Amino acid sequence: MTAALRFDPIRLPEKCEQLRKEVRAFLAEEIAAGTFDPHKPNREDTDAPEFSRRVGAKGWLGMTWPKKYGGQERSFLERYVVTEEMRVANAPTRRFFVADRQSGPVLIKYAPENIKMDILPRICRGEICFAIGMSEPNSGSDLFAAKTRATKTDGGYLINGTKIWTSSAHIADYMIAIFRTSQPTKENRRHGLTQFLVKMKQPGIQVNPIGQITGQHEFNEVVFTDFFVPEDHVLGEVDGAWKQATSELAYERSGPERFLETYYVLTELVRAVGPNPDTRSAEGIGRLVAQLHTMRRMSVSVAGMLQAGKEPVVEASIVKDIGTVWEQQLPHRVRDLAAFVEETATNRETLERQLDFAIKTAPKLTIQGGTTEVLRGIIARGLGLR
Ligand SMILES: Cc1cc2nc3c(=O)[nH]c(=O)nc-3n(C[C@H](O)[C@H](O)[C@H](O)COP(=O)(O)OP(=O)(O)OC[C@H]3O[C@@H](n4cnc5c(N)ncnc54)[C@H](O)[C@@H]3O)c2cc1C
């Protein structure tokens, strides 16, 4: 086995705890003002443009980015704390989350300067929303089989084809997508894909909603028909998108969002059992909290390694694997433990409502952002096992 697997024992510095207090105070004000209800994860509209702008005004979007692009040059650990508090409070982060986590860093690395100067400050102000266009019908896990074509034309490219499961495409201002610019070679089946910046809400792009079992509208099918993308919207190397994917994935895979999506059922269970839980409930909750604590330490460790300029791709994949399986099982474990909560408990109704929603949410958690099976393949390769 390789010695490459490593979780540095990172602890959050004191200034992070100060920031945590600020974020909590801000969120408490938002809840008091009625922006969102933390006990209602199943609200119909998770998109909150004004809230997004207020988060931006606090300086909590693009926190780690250079100041010249509107960022704050703060650390990944500080960003970690903001993300964690937003998730724990169930804040409506849909509008800014992808841009802040993923799309901004891709632009910083690969976009021309004029595009960076135009778009990055708007992300930092919470004004714009991004989508990720990777999956296609018949190529989800196997990203490098993508078929949507980008054909060279005067001054740019014409796009034809279909993306699917595209989260937030119906509200997004931009998408970062991969399109096929040439065929794979015999030596390299991953060759031939290029990353592009796509301006949404234009003729040539049709966004078709896909409903989910929860009743929410989160993702879409996106159809491109002779859609024009200008030359300077190519991000990075033509035909070389495969070289750009790995470091992006470390950002995507290891954050607190990867184990906190159903967290609300745990806090609701604690509320429902009250201050004097029976032995079985106390033991069950203790076990869940211990697991959560361990995962969080691993996730903070990855954030610390990113801060130190490392690329902990395998460690990030491990956090996502363990984290998403845990958050997927959490509603079921909570349901088992809730069997011991008195029928007459005053807040049992909220728990039942939340469980109904969380159990319907659970299946997607080990699919979005890369399936468990595929992640385990990456981990095995990283450990030298295949
Ligand atoms: C809520 C949600 C939001 C999403 N948002 C986006 C988005 O914004 N943008 C985007 O591009 N995509 C998005 N996706 C798509 C997601 O990334 C894909 O669904 C995922 O990559 C799986 O692809 P697939 O659905 O084509 O399944 P397939 O790749 O067909 O996989 C089917 C099954 O086969 C298994 N499998 C496939 N290949 C292997 C292998 N090599 N080894 C072992 N097992 C394998 C998989 O684990 C899975 O169980 C989202 C998905 C969900 C559920």
Side-chain angles (χ1 to χ4, degrees):
M1 195 194 296
T2 173
L5 184 63
R6 186 180 166 84
F7 284 93
D8 292 350
I10 307 288
R11 294 228 175 242
L12 294 173
E14 187 46 42
K15 67 177 172 185
C16 285
E17 296 312 320
Q18 184 50 41
L19 175 62
R20 187 185 300 287
K21 285 184 195 147
E22 286 169 39
V23 181
R24 279 190 187 170
F26 167 77
L27 291 172
E29 273 175 34
E30 292 288 331
I31 292 165
T35 306
F36 65 98
D37 178 349
H39 305 296
K40 245 182 155 190
N42 50 334
R43 55 185 163 263
E44 269 155 33
D45 191 0
T46 51
D47 178 31
E50 293 310 317
F51 175 73
S52 176
R53 283 190 164 82
R54 290 194 289 274
V55 174
K58 282 282 181 189
W60 294 337
L61 298 179
M63 284 177 80
T64 61
W65 306 350
K67 287 190 175 159
K68 68 170 173 170
Y69 301 135
Q72 305 288 327
E73 300 183 6
R74 296 180 83 164
S75 69
F76 282 102
L77 294 172
E78 288 170 291
R79 181 182 179 275
Y80 190 95
V81 165
V82 174
T83 309
E84 187 171 53
E85 289 302 320
M86 296 270 174
R87 288 289 156 164
V88 164
N90 247 319
T93 57
R94 166 165 298 281
R95 182 155 283 255
F96 57 78
F97 189 67
V98 164
D100 175 56
R101 177 180 71 183
Q102 213 163 324
S103 316
V106 170
L107 294 177
I108 289 174
K109 242 177 164 172
Y110 301 111
E113 195 59 23
N114 63 317
I115 288 185
K116 291 192 219 189
M117 291 306 282
D118 171 30
I119 294 182
L120 294 169
R122 290 195 279 147
I123 296 178
C124 293
R125 292 196 296 269
E127 291 170 4
I128 49 176
C129 176
F130 269 73
I132 302 166
M134 292 197 185
S135 305
E136 294 185 9
N138 304 320
S139 62
S141 303
D142 190 8
L143 205 59
F144 300 104
K147 288 196 172 66
T148 297
R149 275 171 299 123
T151 314
K152 194 78 190 75
T153 184
D154 268 359
Y157 293 80
L158 282 182
I159 313 298
N160 282 286
T162 302
K163 293 288 172 185
I164 200 162
W165 319 126
T166 322
S167 299
S168 305
H170 54 301
I171 55 168
D173 302 283
Y174 293 94
M175 175 193 287
I176 291 184
I178 53 163
F179 300 130
R180 182 152 297 285
T181 34
S182 45
Q183 291 309 308
T185 58
K186 259 196 196 135
E187 300 72 41
N188 185 1
R189 67 177 288 273
R190 299 189 294 175
H191 173 87
L193 292 168
T194 304
Q195 211 165 16
F196 286 86
L197 173 69
V198 172
K199 193 163 191 280
M200 301 290 287
K201 300 174 184 167
Q202 293 193 81
I205 303 182
Q206 189 180 331
V207 178
N208 301 318
I210 304 176
Q212 279 167 287
I213 192 173
T214 54
Q216 286 187 319
H217 172 199
E218 189 176 4
F219 53 28
N220 308 271
E221 175 193 64
V222 183
V223 183
F224 296 92
T225 311
D226 283 337
F227 176 73
F228 179 75
V229 180
E231 187 94 50
D232 67 352
H233 282 40
V234 170
L235 301 173
E237 195 183 318
V238 172
D239 292 337
W242 61 276
K243 295 181 199 161
Q244 297 166 204
T246 41
S247 59
E248 191 184 333
L249 295 177
Y251 293 99
E252 187 188 336
R253 289 193 166 146
S254 55
E257 70 276 14
R258 292 304 185 191
F259 50 88
L260 290 176
E261 193 156 337
T262 53
Y263 172 75
Y264 51 86
V265 291
L266 179 58
T267 50
E268 200 54 45
L269 175 68
V270 171
R271 250 191 295 274
V273 297
N276 300 307
D278 64 277
T279 311
R280 186 179 161 133
S281 301
E283 189 266 349
I285 290 170
R287 195 177 286 273
L288 289 169
V289 172
Q291 290 162 352
L292 179 62
H293 180 73
T294 312
M295 251 169 352
R296 178 172 180 270
R297 290 292 309 274
M298 292 169 75
S299 167
V300 169
S301 169
V302 173
M305 291 193 278
L306 286 173
Q307 180 61 33
K310 301 177 188 175
E311 284 196 358
V313 175
V314 175
E315 291 83 353
S317 300
I318 290 174
V319 172
K320 181 178 186 279
D321 179 21
I322 297 175
T324 52
V325 169
W326 185 85
E327 66 180 2
Q328 186 171 67
Q329 288 170 357
L330 181 62
H332 301 284
R333 292 185 181 169
V334 167
R335 191 185 53 184
D336 289 346
L337 291 168
F340 296 89
V341 176
E342 292 294 331
E343 281 299 329
T344 51
T346 47
N347 42 12
R348 176 147 189 151
E349 199 190 315
T350 314
L351 180 62
E352 295 294 346
R353 228 181 323 111
Q354 290 193 356
L355 276 176
D356 178 76
F357 182 72
I359 284 167
K360 287 178 189 154
T361 307
K364 71 163 190 170
L365 298 171
T366 51
I367 302 174
Q368 59 188 12
T371 68
T372 297
E373 293 76 14
V374 169
L375 274 176
R376 288 180 184 170
I378 293 170
I379 294 165
R381 198 174 304 115
L383 294 176
L385 299 173
R386 64 184 280 234

